[in-house]
Amino acid sequence: MASTELAPAAGPAPAARRRARAEADVRLPGGGRITASAARRLHESVPRNSRSARDSRWSAYQDWCDTYGWDTAEDNAVLCFLDDLAGRGHPATTLDAHFGTLRMLRAMRRTPLDTVEIKSCLAIVSQRRGEEADDPLVEPGPLQAAGVDLSELRLMVRTLDRTTVRGRRDAAVLLLDWWMAGRASEPARLNLHDIKFTKVKVTDPATGDKTLREALIVKIRRSKADQAARGQEVRILAADESELCPLHALREWLDVLADDGQLTPGPLLRRIDKHGTIGAKGAGRHTKDPLRRGGITAETVNTVVKSAARAAGLTPTPAPEDRAAVALAARQAKEAAEQAATAEESNAILKAWRTTRRAARAAVRRITGHSMRRGCIQAMLDAGHPPEAVALHSRHSPRSTAFDAYRSTKLSWDQNPTGSLRLAA
């Protein structure tokens, strides 16, 4: 006889308990619904800066549709919006960014662009790119920040008072950002446990002997190029000059945290208020992320770099009257555009203003947080390191086309092939 010890008891299955959710489900623009928790997680899966850019582009598109009587889901609305951006003098890179965002959002709203409109939009962007190339008043392509080389980095560091709390923090920001070829967001997001001091054996190129050198291992847990958060390591050997050594600067900053009783888990680089108070204890606005409370942001890194560059005389400091003149020109152009009789006349006014402003900005050297990344990559390439090794250090994909933008492709004058074609006097 078969055993019946494990047989379920006869009778109806118990009814499943239905739990009410604390938040109502979210209705999607294209129909359907998802839970509020799923909507929040999807929202936070996109970096904050990317969300802001996406929202800004959609808002500009929506405003244009409202102004000219189009529906945001209408066929060819995106195409005509891109044409209007071109007519107002926006560069091809701006058109391309708007097209990518609007194409994605239209698909998410269940009103995707058809194949014909996609090809037409790409043609508009291509035509604008050619128009920029032929413009005698403006250099084509995006305005790029200049790279900071080692001699300029030294000048920037020397503007800091490294006997103060802020000076030590800012030195750590500058040197760590430069040596890791960092994006501004990367040093800002580091935690204390993401850095490790160690000693490694390296081969002396002069003698071939193994020597012991201090080194730093930086763990980047997530970045622009690693949205899946797989994690990447950056390895930095100690510099011979303590003034430019990121290990030395970090140790000085860690001593500051230890003296303040803040050598505790949390952000590595911490905010400092106007009273000199460090971290979460300081006054003022903190980051929106509670896990990063007391830490700095990418904007802080950018500000530190720009301020040091101005103090070192590497970039000009606009005079108050210059700022006022720029603001006045912008206001006058916008007022004239609003009073124009037709949209074409309005766009022509705005395009002329943008062309003038862009030419003025291109004539002045710009140093931003990205200058540290560009400068480090260029310095390593100029020192003769293989591009593959430099790309690994900077966390670029081996097939990255973006890496080419950092490379100095000009030959030195000693290598210039026209030099061997001298003509007899």
Side-chain angles (χ1 to χ4, degrees):
M1 181 181 294
S3 172
T4 59
E5 290 180 355
L6 300 181
R17 180 184 175 188
R18 187 175 183 179
R19 294 180 177 85
R21 292 189 179 276
E23 299 175 277
D25 292 343
V26 175
R27 292 289 174 181
L28 300 176
R33 62 173 180 161
I34 57 176
T35 63
S37 175
R40 185 162 48 249
R41 197 173 294 276
L42 284 172
H43 178 73
E44 294 174 354
S45 68
V46 181
R48 182 166 59 89
N49 288 346
S50 299
R51 290 200 304 267
S52 298
R54 184 177 66 184
D55 293 345
S56 175
R57 290 166 190 157
W58 181 263
S59 177
Y61 171 61
Q62 197 165 37
D63 289 345
W64 180 87
C65 289
D66 292 342
T67 300
Y68 293 102
W70 288 75
D71 189 279
T72 57
E74 191 173 344
D75 290 344
N76 299 317
V78 172
L79 169 67
C80 294
F81 171 66
L82 295 180
D83 169 70
D84 203 64
L85 288 179
R88 282 181 268 156
H90 287 284
T93 51
T94 299
L95 271 66
D96 201 31
H98 277 78
F99 170 60
T101 297
L102 297 177
R103 180 181 180 181
M104 176 193 67
L105 292 178
R106 282 280 299 264
M108 291 177 65
R109 292 166 181 262
R110 308 289 176 88
T111 57
L113 307 183
D114 62 27
T115 304
V116 173
E117 186 170 0
I118 290 172
K119 289 183 178 179
S120 299
C121 288
L122 292 173
I124 290 286
V125 175
S126 178
Q127 189 278 338
R128 177 59 182 142
R129 190 171 287 114
E131 192 176 62
E132 285 182 275
D134 294 337
D135 192 335
L137 302 178
V138 178
E139 184 176 346
L143 292 175
Q144 294 184 338
V148 169
D149 62 27
L150 275 170
S151 62
E152 293 172 329
L153 180 62
R154 183 181 288 105
L155 293 175
M156 291 169 67
V157 169
R158 286 179 178 175
T159 66
L160 307 175
D161 183 357
R162 296 178 72 168
T163 64
T164 66
V165 169
R166 187 178 297 277
R168 291 189 174 188
R169 195 277 311 268
D170 290 354
V173 169
L174 292 177
L175 293 173
L176 183 59
D177 193 23
W178 195 92
W179 285 99
M180 66 188 288
R183 302 173 178 91
S185 60
E186 291 174 345
R189 290 191 63 84
L190 292 175
N191 292 306
L192 270 172
H193 59 255
D194 291 330
I195 62 167
K196 177 184 177 182
F197 295 92
T198 186
K199 291 186 177 182
V200 296
K201 287 184 178 181
V202 296
T203 303
D204 188 326
T207 64
D209 297 333
K210 291 284 187 181
T211 59
L212 204 61
R213 288 185 61 178
E214 289 190 317
L216 180 72
I217 299 176
V218 182
K219 180 72 171 180
I220 301 178
R221 301 191 176 276
R222 186 178 63 170
S223 68
K224 177 182 177 181
D226 182 26
Q227 296 298 328
R230 296 184 180 91
Q232 297 169 304
E233 274 189 1
V234 181
R235 299 183 174 191
I236 304 171
L237 290 170
D240 293 333
E241 297 180 42
S242 61
E243 183 180 35
L244 294 182
C245 180
L247 282 72
H248 180 75
L250 277 174
R251 286 195 174 105
E252 285 191 331
W253 170 242
L254 293 178
D255 287 342
V256 169
L257 293 181
D259 292 342
D260 198 54
Q262 292 205 48
L263 201 59
T264 53
L268 169 66
L269 300 166
R270 305 188 182 185
R271 66 191 301 274
I272 301 170
D273 69 12
K274 62 182 180 180
H275 307 292
T277 307
I278 304 170
K281 299 187 297 182
R285 291 186 300 172
H286 292 260
T287 63
K288 295 180 180 180
D289 184 352
L291 297 177
R292 306 296 305 168
R293 182 173 174 80
I296 66 172
T297 64
E299 288 78 10
T300 309
V301 175
N302 206 31
T303 298
V304 170
V305 172
K306 287 183 175 181
S307 298
R310 283 195 297 268
L314 302 178
T315 55
T317 301
E321 55 270 23
D322 294 333
R323 293 180 182 273
V326 170
L328 177 62
R331 186 167 61 253
Q332 290 176 337
K334 291 175 181 176
E335 289 174 354
E338 289 177 357
Q339 295 171 4
T342 65
E344 289 76 13
E345 290 179 12
S346 175
N347 286 352
I349 293 170
L350 292 175
K351 185 174 184 179
W353 164 66
R354 281 197 174 86
T355 300
T356 303
R357 184 186 65 171
R358 182 179 173 84
R361 292 181 65 194
V364 178
R365 192 170 190 235
R366 297 171 61 246
I367 290 181
T368 68
H370 206 72
S371 297
M372 312 302 271
R373 180 170 173 80
R374 182 180 299 278
C376 179
I377 292 172
Q378 289 175 343
M380 291 178 173
L381 290 170
D382 291 344
H385 295 288
E388 297 79 11
V390 178
L392 280 175
H393 182 81
S394 60
R395 284 109 35 227
H396 280 97
S397 165
R399 295 178 296 277
S400 171
T401 55
F403 182 73
D404 292 334
Y406 298 97
R407 299 174 64 173
S408 178
T409 56
K410 297 177 182 176
L411 292 172
S412 68
W413 288 112
D414 291 335
Q415 297 172 314
N416 193 285
T418 61
S420 63
L421 304 179
R422 298 177 185 173
L423 299 177

